[in-house]
Amino acid sequence: MTAPSALAGSAPAARTSAAPLLHPDRLFPAEPAVRAIARDLYSSVRDLPILSPHGHTDPRWYAENAPFPDPAQLFVVPDHYVFRMLYSQGVPLEELGVPRRDGGPVERDGRQIWRRFAAHYHLFRGTPTRLWLDHAFSTLFGLDERLCAGNADATYDLIAAALRTEAFRPRALFERFNIEAIATTESPLDPLKWHAMIRGSGWGGRVITAYRPDPVVDPEFEGFVGNLHAFGALTGEDTMSWRGYLAAHRKRRSFFKSFGATATDHGHPSAATADLTPAEAEALFERVKVPGVTPADAELFRAQMLTEMARLSLEDGLVMQIHPGAVRNHNAALFDRHGRDMGADIPARTDYVRALKPLLDRFGNERDLTIILFTLDETAYARELAPLAGHYPALRLGPAWWFFDSPEGMRRFRELTTETAGFANTVGFNDDTRAFPSIPARHDVARRVDCAYLARLVAEHRLDLDEAGEIAHALAYGLAKAAYKL
Amino acid sequence: MTAPSALAGSAPAARTSAAPLLHPDRLFPAEPAVRAIARDLYSSVRDLPILSPHGHTDPRWYAENAPFPDPAQLFVVPDHYVFRMLYSQGVPLEELGVPRRDGGPVERDGRQIWRRFAAHYHLFRGTPTRLWLDHAFSTLFGLDERLCAGNADATYDLIAAALRTEAFRPRALFERFNIEAIATTESPLDPLKWHAMIRGSGWGGRVITAYRPDPVVDPEFEGFVGNLHAFGALTGEDTMSWRGYLAAHRKRRSFFKSFGATATDHGHPSAATADLTPAEAEALFERVKVPGVTPADAELFRAQMLTEMARLSLEDGLVMQIHPGAVRNHNAALFDRHGRDMGADIPARTDYVRALKPLLDRFGNERDLTIILFTLDETAYARELAPLAGHYPALRLGPAWWFFDSPEGMRRFRELTTETAGFANTVGFNDDTRAFPSIPARHDVARRVDCAYLARLVAEHRLDLDEAGEIAHALAYGLAKAAYKL
Amino acid sequence: MTAPSALAGSAPAARTSAAPLLHPDRLFPAEPAVRAIARDLYSSVRDLPILSPHGHTDPRWYAENAPFPDPAQLFVVPDHYVFRMLYSQGVPLEELGVPRRDGGPVERDGRQIWRRFAAHYHLFRGTPTRLWLDHAFSTLFGLDERLCAGNADATYDLIAAALRTEAFRPRALFERFNIEAIATTESPLDPLKWHAMIRGSGWGGRVITAYRPDPVVDPEFEGFVGNLHAFGALTGEDTMSWRGYLAAHRKRRSFFKSFGATATDHGHPSAATADLTPAEAEALFERVKVPGVTPADAELFRAQMLTEMARLSLEDGLVMQIHPGAVRNHNAALFDRHGRDMGADIPARTDYVRALKPLLDRFGNERDLTIILFTLDETAYARELAPLAGHYPALRLGPAWWFFDSPEGMRRFRELTTETAGFANTVGFNDDTRAFPSIPARHDVARRVDCAYLARLVAEHRLDLDEAGEIAHALAYGLAKAAYKL
């Protein structure tokens, strides 16, 4: 066993790993009897199709089906999970090719980016990013040794060569990944042209959209008032009136449904909801549609709009997803330099019990409404979310999300929610990713971790094996299909 | 292994389970060496008598000793753990026989209720409710297959037949359960007539009361002012004066003690305490005893009354239990329709460190006072409750409670509190139940989970086996006996 | 297996333990394959030198090298981990020899104190204190049975005899403990005379100081204004002016650096930071340097001073440590009677995301600054601290601290932070102790628990064995050396 003088900073020397990149028993408990059960359960769900009802891949990929440009553009530049870790250890984002808002110079040579990435690959030890990357490296490109400075050029060449082949174009990968359906996320102002192009292409891959109305429901969103005007132009409604504004949502949701949407997505700073009278709501709308909105009015409007969206969901059947709790763009200097989604969104404490009450008082008992709750505050799982979802017919729990899309995060999710909410009040797995090659890896991790959890319950005689088999199937496939109406 | 298309909604087909309902090693760790230690520890505590110092069974059962009416009335209708789960998946409470406040129609046919329950029994997979029900089905009624739609009628008939026999009357079950003492919970306004009837019956079962003064200490309780008048009528004190009001408590506590009470119980929304001067307290009482009390005054009065109750406990020796943190009746429509305790109480964040300071500044160093703290906010265990209980002589920690009366909840309780508070600052197990047949099951789960935890400490050489044996005994019996003065 | 009637209160009879006090596999997982990996990893780090970059041992010990007076003065009287537990079970601090502020009588007979301690030793079952004490008893004094009332006198005599020998003087123990470097903590007003004496003695032990400026940066500290005057006298600066005050810090930090300091330490009630303009900061200083400071100004000044300290750290390279979140001196009566640090500091909820933003906006992207964050609120690990440290170049995470310097606390720390922050954004172990003989025990516990965690990752094929070996070394030695610049 080697003993370098420090872990941080300098990279370990290149080395060939004795173990293959992907052990068939990875993520299963070590105890042999439990592992055998986990293996058995996993074998029955490993090859199920992937349902990806919530994610952020780019529909343009599927529409144009162009090759991915190079290994760095595929694995490093667009993935904030990856570059945030290198940044935390002192690597400037410019050196990783992350664009600057001012168009200033950044590294454009994919090979140089890849070398920097490879030299810091040890930073990902113990993280889910490492699991996802190794999965893609191994299953897609046949790598059998760990990435490091020593093999950076060779792996770059190998991946780059593959990316130039037909088999690595987006649609081919989509099919190879065995994706039954995938949702992207678009703003109401999006013309859905890539989705139209996919439809028109005759390709059979099921790529659907989801309705994410932040630009027109959040008065603090950049260009909100202009967005309202655009919303009116797009729908032919008078979006400067409360009634016309709601009608525009109704029309646009219908348009999204025509492109397969089964869900909406709401990423507010908090879980606050409101249930104003129509007159109060209209008066609030009058205040937020002009410049100089107060933070309190902005928050109240977002809150009211969750309830309005629930009302529309009862009409049109779209499933609501509420993803609160991130303090966006925490790093002011980084935001100025590089913009949004740079790995600087930080979770904060999130209240659900009082925040959701207005919405739940209005619609919580509806059996024809599905509201899926996510959290970045794990303390809410057992204290608030499982008790709420274990009671209200309209509520379901989304899976462990974002920073918690990880083995320990998923394990905690099950341990903290199952005893109160059961399995049927959860909705299977969401990969939530913009990193295309990580999709099969993420679903595989989720299936393994859920099977490991179930295996423990079986081994401790808290569940029978046949039941665990049914549940494993539901967690991998059936629950997502039912909850998201796929 | 079968693979149904979804877990939620439709029930799996009836099937005979190969495994017996209760495996002798259930809840023990899978690793053979640890399991052997857990088994050994458990064998020494399995048959200890049950002490149930905090619960909500109906004293009328023991007084009248009438048969339980039918399986649904025993297992489904009164148990909010059960019907909340079915409700969350869309089953109306009316179909489960839960009474409506307006006397509107609900299902009255026990068999129909039972069929609906059985058809949804798979929802309880992975929950403690399932463990408790299987325990009762197996040990009381000899069932050896899982409840499901296919065996609903047969199990109904079997249980119904048993309930008509002498052996299943409340007192016979009490004795069969090996209950050494059980506490019920009554309001100060309760005449304790069932307790008197038990005393007068000559039956030897030890059923004691506990003093739960919410109706006369919470100015927001329904009918508070009327309750004060009734409190005066019952005690002969002038309960419209602060002095007389306190004297009425003193008298009534003494009356409760004459029916065996050793403890009081305080279920406030928060853990807030106050330590006003006598003049301030009197002025506050003048404000809360008239209609239109402000929320702040109501909170302050409840806070002050915790300190007053502690003062009286120092006089009369009753142990205080503080159970804060539930947002009661979160579902407004359900509350209107069905009333309290319908599974819609949801935990919320609870502060202890600042909230308890006034009471602790006054009485925290008293060695002759015992205050037992419970929580629904597990984040407080390691951060606040264990540090407080590991320091103040007057404080002890109640066990994992309510939603956390579960294998994972109990495990987390030990892992989060033991290192700072030790075992001696905890008080053993409380079942806290109104579901009579779940009592032995709940104590059995607690004994198993505690032995599993201790076995891990022994296997990891953090504790010697002889010590673990002493602790297992204390957790199952000795600590409750000492802390509750039973 | 014995079964005493209660655990609390009375002590178990003296008994000889069959097991040795220290099992070689203690704290390793029970599963044989995982244990074998843990053992292998641990064997490579067990004998590494100790780096103790944050602690509270008394530099006078190393300066004077006088014998420790008696077993009680070494193990009981100065250790609030020990006496708080006995106090919680009703033992008055006076009976344990803890001095009273008023000079009133306390036990002075070390043997009597020791007997009381020994009679209550069972209270420490399951606590880290027990692990540390047994480690010291076994490795330093050769004890091979558990401390109890029955062997109190014998152990007292044995330890007392050892303490009179040269081999048990502070410097001999320092060398025996294999301490490569240890930091103490001093106020800017401290003349560092013991450190000077150590330097002057020619002894080679590396004892360094750390700069803890509470008395001159916290306007609520006792004697703050007087402290400012003393600060001026010591530095020759006009510390009644903002500019002179900052210059005094600069000078004094330099003086501390000349005694080896590589770090500063900031134990504020919250993590609040501020970034005022120079004019605002100066105006604030004018308000806080006079009597009658408001709590809000005091908090704002402490907040601003964290940012000022970061600015100075960028100049002089001292590493910043921020340790927020303790409600100090929670027990008012105890504080009046015995003063500070009596085991009555209680953690409270701590926000980092919003609190640190002003400081991070100013300096978070600096690669030449290291700010190490600690917490007593474990809920912040996964939600706030790991996401922050996994992004900002200036941030690192301190280890599990204080109440969480324990096997479960360390395990949770790794499980909750690694997936988001990796290992390289953590800084190894800090013992943070004033109990000298616990130092090797605490580092040994940390090494064992980290190896146990790594062994699980290896056994679950989440990490290769060679990587785990590198990480084990870094966690035990390399990361502390690098982060603290030792």
Side-chain angles (χ1 to χ4, degrees):
Chain A
M1 203 163 286
T2 63
S5 65
L7 181 72
S10 67
R15 127 174 22 83
T16 302
S17 165
L21 277 190
L22 293 184
H23 194 283
D25 285 333
R26 64 192 181 278
L27 295 167
F28 294 157
E31 205 287 317
V34 189
R35 177 165 288 189
I37 301 168
R39 237 186 235 146
D40 184 26
L41 293 169
Y42 172 70
S43 72
S44 74
V45 300
R46 181 187 49 211
D47 298 326
L48 287 173
I50 285 177
L51 292 172
S52 176
H54 179 105
H56 303 282
T57 58
D58 190 342
R60 183 174 181 172
W61 297 336
Y62 315 118
E64 298 193 320
N65 201 33
F68 290 103
D70 73 39
Q73 290 296 328
L74 185 61
F75 284 110
V76 181
V77 180
D79 190 343
H80 58 63
Y81 285 83
V82 168
F83 61 67
R84 82 190 304 274
M85 181 65 93
L86 272 66
Y87 186 74
S88 78
Q89 286 284 316
V91 182
L93 294 188
E94 286 83 349
E95 294 188 8
L96 299 170
V98 178
R100 283 173 52 169
R101 278 174 137 183
D102 65 2
V106 304
E107 180 65 69
R108 298 192 174 278
D109 180 348
R111 186 178 298 274
Q112 289 301 334
I113 296 169
W114 190 258
R115 284 176 180 164
R116 286 178 192 122
F117 169 54
H120 290 85
Y121 197 62
H122 60 285
L123 296 176
F124 296 101
R125 289 169 176 173
T127 71
T129 298
R130 162 74 177 270
L131 297 174
W132 305 330
L133 290 166
D134 279 359
H135 188 279
F137 293 162
S138 174
T139 62
L140 295 181
F141 304 104
L143 263 63
D144 58 8
E145 62 175 51
R146 288 201 305 266
L147 186 64
C148 61
N151 61 22
D153 279 352
T155 54
Y156 185 84
D157 291 336
L158 188 148
I159 295 171
L163 293 182
R164 286 188 293 269
T165 66
E166 284 300 314
F168 284 85
R169 296 216 175 195
R171 291 183 185 176
L173 288 176
F174 184 100
E175 288 156 13
R176 178 170 173 177
F177 292 169
N178 195 19
I179 296 175
E180 180 177 314
I182 197 169
T184 65
T185 309
E186 273 80 37
S187 144
L189 304 179
D190 191 292
L192 303 187
K193 78 168 180 175
W194 304 117
H195 283 272
M197 194 167 155
I198 296 167
R199 290 286 172 111
S201 74
W203 177 56
R206 186 172 174 203
V207 178
I208 63 180
T209 183
Y211 190 74
R212 177 149 182 164
D214 299 24
V216 292
V217 301
D218 178 2
E220 293 176 327
F221 202 93
E222 293 108 355
F224 175 69
V225 177
N227 294 343
L228 290 185
H229 286 292
F231 198 32
L234 206 56
T235 56
E237 297 288 344
D238 171 16
T239 49
M240 288 296 130
S241 77
W242 176 235
R243 180 177 302 269
Y245 169 76
L246 292 177
H249 275 293
R250 195 176 278 111
K251 273 196 184 167
R252 206 64 190 155
R253 290 166 63 108
S254 173
F255 180 71
F256 271 57
K257 281 186 73 175
S258 77
F259 284 94
T262 68
T264 67
D265 181 24
H266 307 277
H268 294 190
S270 79
T273 65
D275 189 20
L276 304 178
T277 64
E280 289 168 338
E282 186 166 4
L284 175 61
F285 183 71
E286 295 300 317
R287 296 200 301 277
V288 303
K289 78 179 190 194
V290 293
V293 61
T294 65
D297 271 352
E299 176 77 352
L300 182 59
F301 189 72
R302 289 188 297 259
Q304 178 63 23
M305 283 312 296
L306 287 179
T307 307
E308 298 295 341
M309 289 286 128
R311 194 187 324 273
L312 293 176
S313 279
L314 264 170
E315 288 180 19
D316 64 18
L318 292 180
V319 171
M320 282 187 83
Q321 301 173 88
I322 302 181
H323 289 84
V327 176
R328 302 277 172 178
N329 311 311
H330 192 271
N331 188 330
L334 198 85
F335 179 70
D336 288 346
R337 201 170 176 90
H338 295 282
R340 291 177 166 273
D341 298 325
M342 290 295 127
D345 298 341
I346 308 290
R349 275 203 296 267
T350 306
D351 164 66
Y352 293 85
V353 174
R354 290 179 179 89
L356 292 175
K357 197 169 188 317
L359 171 55
L360 293 173
D361 278 345
R362 175 63 59 177
F363 296 121
N365 294 295
E366 296 292 341
R367 278 170 277 163
D368 296 329
L369 176 66
T370 301
I371 302 172
I372 301 174
L373 300 174
F374 293 78
T375 197
L376 290 172
D377 182 352
E378 293 178 302
T379 69
Y381 281 152
R383 186 182 58 213
E384 304 177 29
L385 292 172
L388 287 166
H391 166 69
Y392 282 100
L395 294 183
R396 296 290 183 273
L397 298 186
W401 170 49
W402 196 341
F403 293 110
F404 307 117
D405 179 4
S406 66
E408 301 297 336
M410 292 173 186
R411 180 179 59 79
R412 287 194 295 267
F413 173 74
R414 293 286 170 214
E415 291 180 358
L416 289 163
T417 65
T418 305
E419 294 184 323
T420 293
F423 294 102
N425 287 308
T426 65
V427 302
F429 179 66
N430 289 180
D431 56 70
D432 190 39
T433 191
R434 56 194 80 225
F436 193 45
S438 78
I439 290 177
R442 287 171 186 247
H443 285 261
D444 188 65
V445 168
R447 290 170 186 190
R448 287 174 179 273
V449 174
D450 280 339
C451 288
Y453 170 72
L454 291 168
R456 182 162 79 85
L457 296 192
V458 171
E460 295 177 359
H461 305 290
R462 295 156 69 176
L463 198 65
D464 293 330
L465 183 60
D466 65 309
E467 300 179 289
E470 289 181 13
I471 296 167
H473 194 280
L475 300 183
Y477 184 82
L479 283 167
K481 193 168 181 85
Y484 282 94
K485 305 180 179 179
L486 292 173
Chain B
M1 204 163 282
T2 62
S5 63
L7 182 73
S10 68
R15 123 173 30 78
T16 302
S17 164
L21 280 189
L22 294 184
H23 194 285
D25 284 334
R26 65 191 181 279
L27 296 167
F28 294 157
E31 205 287 317
V34 190
R35 178 166 287 189
I37 299 168
R39 235 185 237 147
D40 183 25
L41 293 170
Y42 173 68
S43 72
S44 75
V45 300
R46 182 186 49 211
D47 298 324
L48 287 172
I50 285 176
L51 292 172
S52 176
H54 179 102
H56 302 283
T57 57
D58 190 342
R60 184 174 179 173
W61 296 337
Y62 315 117
E64 297 193 322
N65 201 32
F68 290 104
D70 73 39
Q73 291 295 329
L74 184 60
F75 283 110
V76 181
V77 181
D79 190 343
H80 57 65
Y81 285 83
V82 169
F83 61 68
R84 82 190 303 274
M85 181 64 93
L86 273 65
Y87 186 74
S88 79
Q89 286 284 316
V91 182
L93 294 188
E94 287 83 349
E95 294 188 8
L96 298 171
V98 178
R100 284 172 51 171
R101 277 174 138 183
D102 65 2
V106 304
E107 180 65 69
R108 298 193 175 278
D109 181 347
R111 186 178 298 272
Q112 289 300 335
I113 297 169
W114 191 257
R115 285 176 180 164
R116 287 178 191 121
F117 169 54
H120 289 86
Y121 196 62
H122 61 285
L123 296 177
F124 297 101
R125 289 168 176 172
T127 72
T129 299
R130 161 74 176 269
L131 296 173
W132 304 330
L133 289 166
D134 279 359
H135 188 278
F137 293 162
S138 175
T139 62
L140 295 181
F141 303 104
L143 264 62
D144 57 8
E145 62 176 53
R146 290 201 304 267
L147 187 64
C148 62
N151 62 20
D153 279 353
T155 54
Y156 186 84
D157 291 336
L158 188 149
I159 295 172
L163 293 182
R164 286 189 293 269
T165 66
E166 285 299 316
F168 284 84
R169 297 214 174 196
R171 291 183 184 176
L173 288 176
F174 184 101
E175 288 157 11
R176 180 169 170 177
F177 292 167
N178 194 19
I179 295 173
E180 181 176 311
I182 196 169
T184 65
T185 309
E186 273 81 36
S187 143
L189 304 179
D190 191 292
L192 303 186
K193 79 169 179 175
W194 304 117
H195 282 273
M197 194 167 152
I198 296 166
R199 292 285 173 110
S201 74
W203 176 56
R206 187 172 173 202
V207 179
I208 63 179
T209 184
Y211 190 75
R212 177 149 182 164
D214 300 22
V216 293
V217 301
D218 178 2
E220 293 176 327
F221 203 93
E222 294 108 355
F224 175 69
V225 177
N227 294 342
L228 290 185
H229 287 291
F231 198 33
L234 207 55
T235 56
E237 295 288 343
D238 171 15
T239 48
M240 289 296 129
S241 77
W242 175 236
R243 182 178 300 271
Y245 170 75
L246 292 177
H249 275 294
R250 195 175 277 111
K251 272 196 185 167
R252 206 63 190 157
R253 291 167 62 109
S254 173
F255 180 70
F256 271 57
K257 282 187 71 175
S258 77
F259 283 93
T262 68
T264 67
D265 181 24
H266 308 276
H268 294 191
S270 79
T273 64
D275 189 20
L276 305 178
T277 65
E280 289 167 338
E282 185 164 5
L284 175 62
F285 183 72
E286 295 300 315
R287 295 199 302 277
V288 302
K289 78 178 190 197
V290 292
V293 62
T294 65
D297 271 353
E299 177 76 353
L300 183 59
F301 189 72
R302 289 188 297 260
Q304 177 63 23
M305 285 310 297
L306 286 180
T307 307
E308 298 295 341
M309 288 286 128
R311 194 187 323 274
L312 293 177
S313 279
L314 265 171
E315 288 179 19
D316 64 19
L318 291 180
V319 171
M320 280 187 85
Q321 300 172 91
I322 302 182
H323 289 84
V327 176
R328 302 278 172 177
N329 312 310
H330 191 270
N331 188 330
L334 198 88
F335 179 69
D336 288 346
R337 200 170 176 91
H338 296 283
R340 292 177 166 273
D341 297 326
M342 290 294 128
D345 297 341
I346 308 291
R349 276 203 297 267
T350 306
D351 164 67
Y352 292 87
V353 174
R354 292 180 178 88
L356 292 175
K357 196 168 189 316
L359 171 55
L360 293 173
D361 277 345
R362 176 63 58 177
F363 297 121
N365 294 296
E366 296 292 341
R367 278 169 277 164
D368 295 329
L369 176 66
T370 301
I371 302 172
I372 301 173
L373 300 174
F374 293 78
T375 198
L376 291 171
D377 182 352
E378 291 179 302
T379 69
Y381 281 152
R383 186 183 57 214
E384 304 177 29
L385 292 172
L388 287 167
H391 166 68
Y392 281 102
L395 293 183
R396 295 291 183 274
L397 298 185
W401 170 49
W402 196 340
F403 293 110
F404 307 117
D405 178 5
S406 67
E408 301 297 337
M410 292 173 186
R411 179 178 58 80
R412 287 194 294 268
F413 173 75
R414 293 287 169 214
E415 291 180 0
L416 289 163
T417 65
T418 305
E419 294 184 323
T420 293
F423 294 101
N425 286 308
T426 66
V427 301
F429 180 66
N430 289 181
D431 57 70
D432 189 38
T433 192
R434 55 195 81 223
F436 193 44
S438 78
I439 290 177
R442 287 171 185 248
H443 285 261
D444 188 65
V445 168
R447 290 170 185 189
R448 287 174 179 272
V449 174
D450 280 339
C451 288
Y453 170 71
L454 292 168
R456 182 162 80 86
L457 296 192
V458 172
E460 295 177 358
H461 306 288
R462 295 157 68 178
L463 199 65
D464 293 330
L465 183 61
D466 65 310
E467 299 179 289
E470 289 181 13
I471 296 166
H473 194 280
L475 300 183
Y477 184 83
L479 282 168
K481 194 168 181 84
Y484 282 94
K485 306 181 179 178
L486 292 173
Chain C
M1 203 162 284
T2 62
S5 63
L7 182 72
S10 68
R15 122 173 30 78
T16 302
S17 165
L21 279 190
L22 293 183
H23 193 284
D25 285 333
R26 65 192 180 279
L27 296 167
F28 294 156
E31 205 286 318
V34 189
R35 178 165 288 188
I37 300 168
R39 235 186 236 145
D40 183 25
L41 293 170
Y42 172 70
S43 72
S44 74
V45 300
R46 181 187 49 211
D47 298 325
L48 288 172
I50 286 176
L51 292 172
S52 176
H54 179 102
H56 303 282
T57 58
D58 190 342
R60 183 173 181 174
W61 297 336
Y62 316 117
E64 297 193 321
N65 201 31
F68 290 102
D70 73 40
Q73 291 295 329
L74 184 61
F75 284 111
V76 181
V77 181
D79 191 342
H80 57 65
Y81 286 81
V82 168
F83 60 68
R84 81 190 304 274
M85 181 65 93
L86 273 66
Y87 186 74
S88 78
Q89 286 283 317
V91 182
L93 294 188
E94 287 83 349
E95 294 188 9
L96 298 170
V98 178
R100 284 172 52 171
R101 277 172 139 185
D102 64 3
V106 303
E107 180 65 68
R108 298 192 174 279
D109 181 348
R111 185 178 298 273
Q112 289 301 334
I113 296 169
W114 190 258
R115 285 175 179 167
R116 286 177 193 123
F117 168 55
H120 290 86
Y121 196 62
H122 60 286
L123 296 176
F124 297 101
R125 290 168 175 173
T127 71
T129 299
R130 163 72 177 272
L131 296 173
W132 304 330
L133 290 165
D134 279 359
H135 188 279
F137 293 163
S138 174
T139 62
L140 295 182
F141 304 104
L143 263 62
D144 57 8
E145 62 175 52
R146 289 201 304 268
L147 186 63
C148 62
N151 62 22
D153 279 353
T155 55
Y156 186 85
D157 291 337
L158 188 149
I159 296 170
L163 294 182
R164 286 188 293 268
T165 65
E166 284 300 315
F168 284 84
R169 297 217 176 194
R171 292 181 183 177
L173 289 176
F174 184 101
E175 288 156 12
R176 178 170 172 176
F177 292 168
N178 194 20
I179 296 174
E180 180 176 312
I182 196 168
T184 65
T185 310
E186 273 80 38
S187 144
L189 305 180
D190 191 292
L192 303 186
K193 79 169 181 176
W194 304 117
H195 283 273
M197 193 167 154
I198 296 166
R199 292 285 172 110
S201 74
W203 176 56
R206 186 172 174 203
V207 178
I208 63 180
T209 184
Y211 190 74
R212 177 150 183 163
D214 300 23
V216 293
V217 300
D218 178 2
E220 293 175 327
F221 203 93
E222 294 108 354
F224 175 69
V225 178
N227 294 342
L228 291 185
H229 287 292
F231 198 34
L234 207 55
T235 56
E237 296 288 343
D238 171 15
T239 49
M240 288 296 129
S241 77
W242 175 235
R243 181 177 301 268
Y245 169 76
L246 292 177
H249 276 294
R250 194 175 277 110
K251 271 196 185 167
R252 205 62 190 157
R253 291 167 62 109
S254 173
F255 180 71
F256 271 57
K257 281 186 73 174
S258 78
F259 284 94
T262 68
T264 68
D265 181 23
H266 308 277
H268 293 191
S270 79
T273 65
D275 188 21
L276 305 178
T277 64
E280 289 169 338
E282 185 165 5
L284 175 63
F285 183 70
E286 295 300 315
R287 295 199 302 278
V288 303
K289 78 179 190 195
V290 293
V293 62
T294 65
D297 271 352
E299 177 76 352
L300 182 60
F301 189 73
R302 289 187 297 259
Q304 178 63 23
M305 285 311 296
L306 286 180
T307 307
E308 298 295 342
M309 288 287 128
R311 195 186 323 274
L312 293 176
S313 279
L314 265 170
E315 289 180 18
D316 64 19
L318 292 180
V319 171
M320 281 187 83
Q321 301 172 89
I322 302 182
H323 289 82
V327 175
R328 303 278 172 177
N329 311 312
H330 191 271
N331 188 330
L334 198 86
F335 179 70
D336 288 346
R337 200 170 176 92
H338 295 282
R340 293 177 164 274
D341 298 325
M342 290 294 127
D345 297 341
I346 309 290
R349 274 203 297 268
T350 306
D351 165 66
Y352 292 86
V353 174
R354 292 179 179 88
L356 292 175
K357 196 167 188 319
L359 171 54
L360 293 173
D361 278 345
R362 176 64 59 177
F363 297 121
N365 295 294
E366 296 292 342
R367 278 169 277 165
D368 295 329
L369 176 67
T370 301
I371 302 172
I372 301 173
L373 300 175
F374 293 78
T375 196
L376 291 171
D377 181 352
E378 291 178 303
T379 69
Y381 281 151
R383 187 181 58 214
E384 305 178 28
L385 293 172
L388 287 167
H391 166 68
Y392 281 101
L395 293 184
R396 294 291 182 273
L397 299 186
W401 171 49
W402 196 339
F403 293 110
F404 307 116
D405 178 4
S406 66
E408 302 295 337
M410 291 172 187
R411 179 179 58 80
R412 287 194 295 267
F413 173 75
R414 292 288 170 213
E415 292 181 358
L416 289 162
T417 65
T418 305
E419 294 185 322
T420 294
F423 294 102
N425 286 309
T426 66
V427 302
F429 180 66
N430 288 181
D431 57 69
D432 189 38
T433 192
R434 56 195 79 224
F436 193 45
S438 78
I439 290 177
R442 289 170 184 248
H443 285 260
D444 188 65
V445 168
R447 291 170 185 190
R448 288 173 178 272
V449 174
D450 280 339
C451 288
Y453 170 72
L454 292 168
R456 181 162 79 84
L457 296 191
V458 171
E460 296 178 359
H461 305 290
R462 296 157 68 178
L463 199 66
D464 293 329
L465 183 60
D466 65 310
E467 299 180 289
E470 288 181 15
I471 297 167
H473 194 280
L475 300 183
Y477 183 82
L479 283 167
K481 193 165 182 87
Y484 282 94
K485 307 180 178 178
L486 291 173

